[in-house]
Amino acid sequence: ELSTGYHAFVAELFLTAAALGSAIGDPFPESYWRRLGSMLDFAAAIRDRHGHAPDFGDNDEGTVLALGRTDHRDRLGRLLAVTGRSDARDEVATRLLLWGLEPSDLPLPPARELERDGLDAFPDGGYIVLGRRRGGPDEMLAVFDAGDLGMPPTWAHGHADALSFWLSYGG
C-alpha cells in the first residue's frame, strides 16, 4: 500500500521469520536477505537525525512482538538497531526478533550509503528523499510521496496523502 507504517510491520515480519530460519538451520535464500536489506535501507533513508519519520498511507499499528511502543517510527528504529544498522542497541529486542542470534550472524548485505547531500530515490515505492547535511545539527530532510495513487488495476487503497511531502529541519 506504499505505506510507511505497513513497511515497518512487514520488515519486522520478514526479519523475524528469516532470523528464525537461520537459528534453526534452515536459512532463507540470499535474494530474500537482499530484499530485506533494501527495506532496511529505505527505513534508514526516511528517518531524520532524531529518528522521526513520515507517516504516509494506512497504518493499523500491527506489530510482530510488542516491544515497547508500537508506533511505526519506533519500530523502524528498532529494526535498524537490532540488525546493526544504527548505533543504538536493544538487547531484549535483539534476542526476541533474532532468536538469540547476533546481527553479524545474519547474511544481510551491507547497508546502502545515504546521500549526505543530495537525492535518494526509491522508484518502486514512489518515494524521493532529499537531504542536506544529513546527521548534522542543521540537517534538512524532505521525503516526497510521489508513487501511484492506489494499487492497479482497480487503484484501490489510494490515499489522500499522495503527492504530499514531509519536511524535517534539525530533527
Side-chain angles (χ1 to χ4, degrees), residues 41-129:
D41 290 342
F42 173 74
I46 65 170
R47 296 176 76 234
D48 71 13
R49 65 188 295 261
H50 290 305
H52 304 120
D55 191 7
F56 292 130
D58 276 351
N59 184 6
D60 62 9
E61 298 182 8
T63 188
V64 178
L65 299 169
L67 302 172
R69 294 180 56 200
T70 59
D71 183 278
H72 77 277
R73 292 161 283 223
D74 297 322
R75 286 198 326 269
L76 290 173
R78 184 168 51 244
L79 287 167
L80 295 171
V82 301
T83 57
R85 290 174 176 241
S86 81
D87 295 335
R89 187 78 171 144
D90 184 336
E91 291 300 326
V92 173
T94 301
R95 294 288 167 227
L96 291 173
L97 289 175
L98 302 186
W99 304 96
L101 300 173
E102 291 297 320
S104 59
D105 296 331
L106 303 177
L108 279 166
R112 175 179 171 181
E113 193 67 34
L114 294 176
E115 290 293 333
R116 179 165 163 71
D117 288 304
L119 185 75
D120 275 307
F122 298 90
D124 290 341
Y127 288 102
I128 305 296
V129 180

